[in-house]
Amino acid sequence: MNPTDLTIAQARDLLAKGELSSMELVEAHIDAMETSRELNAYITETPEMALAMAQDSDARRARGEGNGLLEGIPVAIKDLFCTKGTLTTAGSHILDGFHPVYESTVTANMWRQGAVMLGKTNLDEFAMGSSNLTSYHGPAINPWKARGDHRARVPGGSSGGSAAAVAGRLALGATGTDTGGSIRQPAAFTGTVGIKPTYGRCSRWGIVAFASSLDQAGPMTRSVRDAAIMLRAMAGHDGKDSTSADVAVPDFEADLDKGVKGMTIGIPKEYRSEAMAGEIEALWQQGSAWLEEQGARMVEISLPHTKYALPAYYIVAPAEASSNLSRYDGVKYGLRVEADDLLSMYEKTRAAGFSKEVKRRILIGTYVLSAGYYDAYYLKAQKVRTRIAEDFRDAFGHVDAILTPATPSAAFPADEPPSDPVAMYLNDIFTVPVNLAGLPGMSVPAGLSGEGLPLGLQIIGKAFDEATVLRVGRAIEHAAGFDTRPEGF
Amino acid sequence: MASTIEGATGTWEYVIGLEVHAQIVSKSKLFSGASTEFGSEPNSQVSTIDAGMPGMLPVINMTCIEQAVKTGLAIEGTVNRYSVFDRKNYFYPDLPQGYQISQFKQPIVSEGRLVIEMEDGSEKVIGIERLHVEQDAGKSLHDQDPGHSYVDLNRSGVGLMEIVSKPDLRSPEEAAAYVRKLRSILRYVGTCDGNMQEGSMRVDANVSMRRPGEAYGTRCEIKNLNSVRFMSRALEYEALRQVDILEAGGTVAQETRLFDVGRGETRSMRSKEEAHDYRYFPDPDLLPLRLEQELINAVAASMPELPDAKRHRFMAEFGLSPYDASVLVAEKENADFYEAVAEGRDKKLAANWMISELFGLLNKAGKEIGESPVSADALGELLDLISDDTISGRTAKEVFAEMFETGKAAGQIVEEKGLRQVTDTGAIEAVIDEVMARETQKVAEYRSGKDKLFGFFVGQVMKASGGKANPKMVNEVLKKKLDG
Amino acid sequence: MSFDKTTVARISRLARIATTPAEQERLAGELGGILAWVEQLDEVDVAGVAPMTSVVEMNLKAREDVVSDGGDAEAILKNAPSSAHGFFVVPKVVE
Ligand SMILES: [Mg+2]
Ligand SMILES: [Zn+2]
């Protein structure tokens, strides 16, 4: 068996038994990365660093140390996480040449747990997108193709490079970030598992900010168990992030197989619409049936403000982004387009450094915060957000978890993206409410579309109850027996 | 200085409101662990947070918050148990994040007041709209290079309190009294060192002119005034400029202006010409600030006696004049020095000596009270020598000058120079007899009714005693003998 | 909601992003479309609803006042497009 086919759990056990070294594991991945460059999953590969870290890990293990949760496990890091001394781009031209002098808390946590970095993965510029088509470094490609159709498919976004790397066997796991669905949607598009934890579970320190009140890091893996292992390594309270929760991180793996018997799981009726594709509807019903068969009680619930989540999100996220992205001004780091006066330097640098989509969002955000519009847009959206959070709180008064589809469709062709911005935004219709309410949500592969492309189901949990989300996810994974893989990978 | 200006068409009245930025006394910055120390190498006191690096996040410095609470209580404001940090968005090279973290709609302190005392002894209450906490920006240097500006971020992120007065001030003089009083209070509570030269306190002055009793006119904001003197000059210049415009039938443009110290003029700031739209919104990297009542109570319990209370105590308990009391309490160090000198001694004598002698010499020497060569104990010893008639008040001034010069103790100087005054009645009588024997003609004139000559005899006796005779005794004995 | 080129020009100046007239034309359409779409929020009754301040209920954590950072000007300037004598250098700012 090729070591790149292992799950993190399998690799961990082989490493512990001494039947595999971190070096072997890393070398296999470096080979795979070299032969799969057409996926454009990585912006920066760091093979030397990976080999050195693997060597260190093996040495630790030889000394009888090295009992970290991810000891010797090669992972990929979304290029939104600042990594000390390694180019960090956020998928943008404007961060050209930026080598942080600091390490993000989440990656530092992972290195402390023994993980090995293979490189930095591709993403939509500043994590703004659902296709990975907006990266300055070119689109990442989904390893999956539709049956009888050779056109490249998008891996989803914004964590598209991470999703492509994990699905394409170019890393055992990868970090992602999720502001409106950027972990769950690409996980669904690539047949992988992705969990966005509760807001505050993983520190945001050192992650290039998109929308501060929504951004949350999480793992992308090939199994629910791997997600549980990796999340535990990434998470934890951080005094450097004022929004980081001072809540203990449980051993998510411990209760993973306890099943869903006796759980009450909600099916939100507002997620069902006439426009929903038949195969998505069928998948959702199938998921519900699997859980029921395993002893869960399925109940219909109501989340009345669901339809307002996406428009509220497209006010709040751009508003925060417009402010967060003001620091890219050509003064301290990254791109500068020289000009004789300061104003022109700013305007030219930012015009050249940001792509269309990023500019669009900065401008929308600037507009909704500007004098005379704040109350009508931003304040209103934040109030709607309170309503949405209340919907969930009411629902969680009587259910343990909520089951929904992860995406309204399977991966679309890279050369045929949705026609206008709003149509593109609809990709995140099922995932965005979860960010607005700060809750944990996970996408688990549950089947294939008619075209043979993966589809995912989403499990939503109570705040800081990722353990239940993972348990329900494991139950679906078990029932779905999703063992297909992209052809050629 | 006056509160009104007589124009060609009538009287105009000042309306002034001040925004004071006061640097919070703290070791580290408001949202990062970098040092706040003044005057280091450029960019040497900058964390990646202060430099606005990607992914960096703010964490509030609790000491800065406590300092703001303390200041809020000192200006008799309402400390809000719930306040919010907002982002004020604008682009400037010394603002690395592209926004300043400040407080907009919900400041930590609202509705305070401050009493100013005018030179004529009158008092006026000036309303304070709010006090909020915010980050300082870095510093841009424009004169190092012809085509470029240099940016130093050492100050970026230092904690500031912005204290906004109501438009209650009616003259440059009142504005100056307000700034001095505020500075005094800040220094009393130890929340700002008040050093205007180093920029620890900066004033933005909003000024407009109106016909007395009419509605407010359009105001201009004069930015970054870093001394009380410049502020007064800027206000006077700006008032005349506005009156000229108004009298010519024009309208004052609402704008930000800069005071050119060299020319003594205010001028429009080109860089700020563009209409501002700061797009304030709550900083999503920070949660609302909730203060426990216990914390506010604890800060209240730790408050020192403030200048107003001290001043009233000095007047009521020590019988000092309002003017003397004001002078002594302006700086806490002076008041403490005074109380040490006055302890167990004549309060008024101590006040006079502090104000006319000690402050006089300190001023001349350009020294602060902390650097005084004469300690409170040493000055007290000198006053004791006056009180027990060892030396006369006049001699004491000489002795004091020498103490200031050499740092020697009063007693030592008196002994070394033999300045102890003569209080022996016999010795004084002998000198008087000698003088009267010499000036028989004058004695006769005096006795025939020329009372004015009494002063002449006192002078002669003092001179003959080498200035050491106790003047009070000389008076008594001389009177007796001449009238005898 | 009319969203015209002038508005685009105004907000792109506020956001310090140069836009050409052609871009302004395109953006006026796109941004106008997005804003028309978000206007459905007007249907939601938010009377008496507090705006969300943080999704997770917790208190603001504070730091102690200790110097624990800074002291490395080289690191701060390392990525600067232009620097001299320990300063960041920018085109001349006229006040
Ligand atoms: Mg101000
Ligand atoms: Zn301010």
Side-chain angles (χ1 to χ4, degrees):
Chain A
M1 188 193 211
N2 190 326
T4 60
D5 281 332
L6 297 167
T7 62
I8 291 174
Q10 290 166 337
R12 171 188 66 185
D13 297 345
L14 291 172
L15 286 163
K17 281 189 265 178
E19 292 173 17
L20 180 73
S21 71
S22 180
M23 274 301 250
E24 290 171 279
L25 204 45
V26 166
E27 277 165 355
H29 278 93
I30 291 172
D31 289 346
M33 286 156 74
E34 281 171 6
T35 55
S36 301
R37 293 244 166 82
E38 77 277 6
L39 292 183
N40 201 22
Y42 287 88
I43 291 173
T44 304
E45 296 178 3
T46 56
E48 286 93 9
M49 185 185 291
L51 292 169
M53 289 174 90
Q55 196 166 30
D56 285 352
S57 172
D58 286 336
R60 276 195 298 275
R61 202 181 289 278
R63 287 198 303 271
E65 302 162 13
N67 44 16
L69 293 169
L70 294 175
E71 191 59 58
I73 303 292
V75 295
I77 302 298
K78 186 179 185 179
D79 205 16
L80 201 64
F81 292 77
C82 290
T83 42
K84 191 171 179 174
T86 299
L87 180 69
T88 298
T89 70
S92 181
H93 187 24
I94 209 155
L95 270 171
D96 269 4
F98 176 61
H99 288 72
V101 293
Y102 47 90
E103 183 77 29
S104 85
T105 297
V106 163
T107 48
N109 287 347
M110 291 169 70
W111 312 145
R112 203 173 309 114
Q113 294 295 336
V116 171
M117 180 165 88
L118 293 168
K120 307 288 293 287
T121 55
N122 208 341
L123 69 158
D124 279 301
E125 183 180 356
F126 282 105
M128 295 178 189
S130 313
S131 63
N132 216 128
L133 293 170
T134 72
S135 170
Y136 177 69
H137 302 274
I141 303 300
N142 195 332
W144 289 84
K145 286 196 167 61
R147 268 191 293 270
D149 181 349
H150 286 280
R151 288 180 302 170
R153 297 272 160 171
V154 300
S158 66
S159 311
S162 289
V166 172
R169 271 66 182 167
L170 311 183
L172 292 187
T175 62
T177 63
D178 188 318
T179 304
S182 281
I183 287 176
R184 291 158 290 163
Q185 186 252 18
F189 276 14
T190 57
T192 55
V193 175
I195 180 165
K196 178 201 92 73
T198 312
Y199 183 84
R201 179 65 97 179
C202 290
S203 169
R204 293 184 298 114
W205 195 89
I207 301 174
V208 175
F210 163 13
S212 309
S213 74
L214 299 160
D215 296 345
Q216 185 57 208
M220 303 179 76
T221 56
R222 288 195 295 264
S223 76
V224 174
R225 180 173 306 280
D226 287 2
I229 296 168
M230 199 166 143
L231 176 59
R232 189 178 169 202
M234 293 168 70
H237 177 245
D238 180 11
K240 294 190 286 189
D241 174 359
S242 305
T243 62
S244 162
D246 199 352
V247 175
V249 179
D251 178 357
F252 297 115
E253 205 185 348
D255 293 341
L256 204 56
D257 288 314
K258 289 206 171 148
V260 294
K261 195 168 175 155
M263 279 190 194
T264 306
I265 295 173
I267 302 287
K269 62 177 191 221
E270 290 80 5
Y271 278 58
R272 192 170 288 126
S273 77
E274 272 150 42
M276 184 179 274
E279 60 188 14
I280 300 293
E281 168 84 46
L283 181 83
W284 193 11
Q285 275 172 17
Q286 177 63 73
S288 182
W290 283 330
L291 292 173
E292 200 159 28
E293 281 160 23
Q294 295 182 61
R297 193 166 69 90
M298 305 305 292
V299 297
E300 186 176 86
I301 58 164
S302 174
L303 299 168
H305 295 89
T306 297
K307 76 173 271 211
Y308 302 109
L310 211 49
Y313 174 86
Y314 274 96
I315 291 171
V316 173
E320 293 181 6
S322 72
S323 177
N324 282 333
L325 270 58
S326 292
R327 65 188 60 203
Y328 307 102
D329 60 2
V331 176
K332 296 136 316 205
Y333 40 75
L335 181 74
R336 172 189 292 189
V337 178
E338 291 294 349
D340 290 339
D341 67 283
L342 184 72
L343 182 63
S344 309
M345 189 278 276
Y346 280 157
E347 292 192 337
K348 287 179 178 171
T349 298
R350 289 166 61 80
F354 295 132
S355 71
K356 266 189 200 170
E357 180 60 25
V358 171
K359 286 182 203 172
R360 194 149 50 214
R361 297 203 198 190
I362 290 175
L363 293 177
I364 281 281
T366 302
Y367 181 77
V368 299
L369 290 175
S370 67
Y373 300 101
Y374 176 85
D375 287 4
Y377 291 108
Y378 189 76
L379 194 65
K380 174 99 192 202
Q382 288 289 50
K383 287 177 178 176
V384 171
R385 207 175 159 184
T386 299
R387 282 276 195 235
I388 288 164
E390 285 167 356
D391 286 354
F392 279 108
R393 200 187 53 210
D394 292 349
F396 280 119
H398 52 96
V399 300
D400 300 297
I402 295 168
L403 182 74
T404 78
T407 56
S409 73
F412 44 85
D415 58 4
E416 235 175 63
S419 50
D420 70 290
V422 173
M424 183 65 108
Y425 298 165
L426 291 172
N427 262 292
D428 294 329
I429 192 157
F430 301 134
T431 48
V432 153
V434 182
N435 298 77
L436 290 175
L439 301 172
M442 178 165 76
S443 173
V444 186
L448 293 178
S449 71
E451 295 179 295
L453 290 167
L455 293 173
L457 285 171
Q458 174 177 238
I459 301 110
I460 305 168
K462 297 176 189 170
F464 300 107
D465 191 16
E466 290 87 355
T468 296
V469 172
L470 287 158
R471 234 164 101 178
V472 176
R474 174 73 194 110
I476 289 174
E477 180 183 55
H478 176 77
F482 186 86
D483 55 3
T484 48
R485 57 191 290 178
E487 219 174 303
F489 292 91
Chain B
M1 279 189 260
S3 62
T4 54
I5 286 179
E6 291 305 323
T9 61
T11 304
W12 296 91
E13 180 183 54
Y14 279 94
V15 177
I16 303 168
L18 299 180
E19 293 171 18
V20 175
H21 283 95
Q23 180 180 333
I24 299 172
V25 170
S26 66
K27 295 189 199 77
S28 63
K29 293 183 178 178
L30 182 56
F31 293 113
S32 86
S35 168
T36 57
E37 216 168 294
F38 180 79
S40 314
E41 290 293 300
N43 292 305
S44 66
Q45 291 177 174
V46 182
S47 78
T48 47
I49 299 164
D50 310 319
M53 299 274 179
M56 294 297 92
L57 297 171
V59 182
I60 190 94
N61 178 340
M62 201 52 207
T63 297
C64 291
I65 295 305
E66 286 168 5
Q67 293 283 60
V69 169
K70 203 170 195 179
T71 309
L73 294 172
I75 55 170
E76 298 173 50
T78 305
V79 175
N80 297 314
R81 291 191 48 199
Y82 182 92
S83 67
V84 173
F85 285 100
D86 296 286
R87 292 185 183 179
K88 178 182 183 179
N89 295 282
Y90 66 95
F91 287 86
Y92 205 73
D94 61 22
L95 189 75
Q97 296 163 318
Y99 54 83
Q100 177 195 34
I101 304 178
S102 181
Q103 297 188 301
F104 183 47
K105 283 191 182 146
Q106 291 165 287
I108 187 164
V109 175
S110 39
E111 292 300 324
R113 66 202 282 278
L114 183 148
V115 179
I116 57 171
E117 302 121 41
M118 306 312 296
E119 244 162 77
D120 65 3
S122 62
E123 292 187 350
K124 184 174 173 184
V125 176
I126 306 301
I128 292 176
E129 179 104 19
R130 57 188 279 147
L131 176 157
H132 67 253
V133 173
E134 63 185 23
Q135 300 175 296
D136 203 350
K139 219 172 148 59
S140 300
L141 309 174
H142 305 304
D143 44 14
Q144 312 288 305
D145 176 307
H148 297 94
S149 293
Y150 284 15
V151 181
D152 172 17
L153 298 179
N154 278 350
R155 294 189 76 93
S156 164
V158 167
L160 300 177
M161 297 177 282
E162 180 172 336
I163 303 161
V164 183
S165 87
K166 297 198 168 158
D168 289 351
L169 299 157
R170 290 290 173 271
S171 67
E173 192 185 10
E174 287 187 5
Y178 173 89
V179 173
R180 278 194 290 262
K181 184 60 171 286
L182 182 59
R183 179 176 181 277
S184 165
I185 291 173
L186 294 173
R187 288 172 54 84
Y188 261 72
V189 293
T191 57
C192 172
D193 69 19
N195 190 331
M196 294 188 80
Q197 262 143 39
E198 290 181 3
S200 304
M201 238 180 107
R202 280 139 27 208
V203 182
D204 299 341
N206 288 288
V207 57
S208 64
M209 301 303 288
R210 66 168 177 186
R211 299 289 190 192
E214 287 187 2
Y216 296 145
T218 308
R219 64 194 159 87
C220 288
E221 184 178 17
I222 314 168
K223 280 259 177 226
N224 267 328
L225 297 160
N226 61 2
S227 88
V228 174
R229 202 160 55 88
F230 292 159
M231 177 185 73
S232 300
R233 281 172 53 197
L235 286 170
E236 284 166 29
Y237 175 89
E238 182 60 19
L240 292 173
R241 189 187 73 87
Q242 291 186 15
V243 165
D244 280 351
I245 293 172
L246 294 168
E247 296 214 312
T251 50
V252 173
Q254 182 164 352
E255 61 181 354
T256 303
R257 299 180 71 84
L258 209 62
F259 182 58
D260 184 323
V261 177
R263 294 169 173 231
E265 294 172 2
T266 65
R267 62 177 163 83
S268 187
M269 280 178 84
R270 284 168 63 189
S271 61
K272 306 256 174 170
E273 253 170 33
E274 199 177 329
H276 282 169
D277 191 340
Y278 290 126
R279 289 156 287 139
Y280 282 101
F281 74 107
D283 189 334
D285 288 332
L286 293 162
L287 300 158
L289 176 64
R290 291 184 170 87
L291 296 175
E292 299 292 337
Q293 190 59 46
E294 291 81 76
L295 178 132
I296 300 171
N297 294 347
V299 173
S302 75
M303 294 285 274
E305 183 184 35
L306 294 175
D308 282 339
K310 209 182 273 292
R311 179 166 159 266
H312 287 122
R313 180 165 61 84
F314 282 8
M315 283 156 54
E317 287 180 18
F318 300 167
L320 300 190
S321 71
Y323 175 79
D324 285 2
S326 287
V327 171
L328 289 174
V329 304
E331 295 282 347
K332 185 168 182 297
E333 291 75 10
N334 290 344
D336 290 347
F337 195 102
Y338 166 71
E339 289 208 76
V341 174
E343 172 73 43
R345 301 193 173 93
D346 182 329
K347 311 297 180 200
K348 284 189 190 174
L349 181 69
N352 287 338
W353 271 83
M354 285 276 301
I355 294 169
S356 40
E357 304 306 320
L358 179 60
F359 290 171
L361 291 186
L362 285 173
N363 246 337
K364 236 195 309 191
K367 285 184 166 154
E368 297 283 323
I369 192 118
E371 308 160 305
S372 171
V374 180
S375 70
D377 280 352
L379 178 55
E381 188 200 327
L382 178 67
L383 299 191
D384 290 343
L385 293 179
I386 300 171
S387 298
D388 68 9
D389 287 336
T390 304
I391 53 172
S392 67
R394 189 201 193 112
T395 306
K397 288 183 188 177
E398 277 171 51
V399 173
F400 184 65
E402 180 146 353
M403 289 167 72
F404 198 89
E405 186 85 9
T406 63
K408 282 186 191 167
Q412 192 190 347
I413 296 169
V414 168
E415 290 316 318
E416 280 175 8
K417 298 204 152 180
L419 297 174
R420 184 176 283 276
Q421 71 183 340
V422 179
T423 51
D424 171 357
T425 318
I428 289 172
E429 280 182 344
V431 178
I432 291 175
D433 289 345
E434 183 199 313
V435 170
M436 284 174 70
R438 196 174 67 213
E439 302 284 354
T440 49
Q441 176 69 26
K442 292 256 171 31
V443 170
E445 283 175 34
Y446 175 84
R447 286 183 172 154
S448 67
K450 229 176 162 186
D451 291 3
K452 274 191 243 160
L453 280 170
F454 189 76
F456 165 79
F457 288 109
V458 173
Q460 291 298 309
V461 172
M462 290 306 291
K463 195 173 165 192
S465 77
K468 286 184 273 179
N470 179 314
K472 208 172 121 211
M473 291 175 72
V474 169
N475 268 288
E476 274 167 27
V477 178
L478 191 59
K479 186 104 180 132
K480 218 182 314 170
K481 289 207 176 228
L482 282 172
D483 293 352
Chain C
M1 161 68 48
S2 68
F3 205 88
D4 53 20
K5 272 176 68 175
T6 322
T7 310
V8 176
R10 181 175 65 80
I11 57 174
S12 50
R13 165 56 60 89
L14 261 182
R16 297 290 186 270
I17 296 173
T19 45
T20 63
E23 283 172 311
Q24 289 166 11
E25 194 77 52
R26 174 178 57 79
L27 282 160
E30 286 174 0
L31 303 186
I34 294 168
L35 287 168
W37 169 68
V38 302
E39 249 153 49
Q40 58 182 297
L41 291 184
D42 290 346
E43 297 162 15
V44 186
D45 178 13
V46 290
V49 176
M52 181 166 281
T53 48
S54 64
V55 286
V56 173
E57 237 165 272
M58 52 181 164
N59 270 328
L60 181 61
K61 287 260 172 55
R63 284 176 27 243
E64 264 183 72
D65 184 26
V66 288
V67 175
S68 57
D69 207 341
D72 191 351
E74 212 178 297
I76 292 302
L77 293 162
K78 183 176 169 275
N79 284 286
S82 174
S83 64
H85 316 294
F87 294 93
F88 293 96
V89 177
V90 297
K92 186 100 168 171
V93 182
V94 184
E95 284 205 321

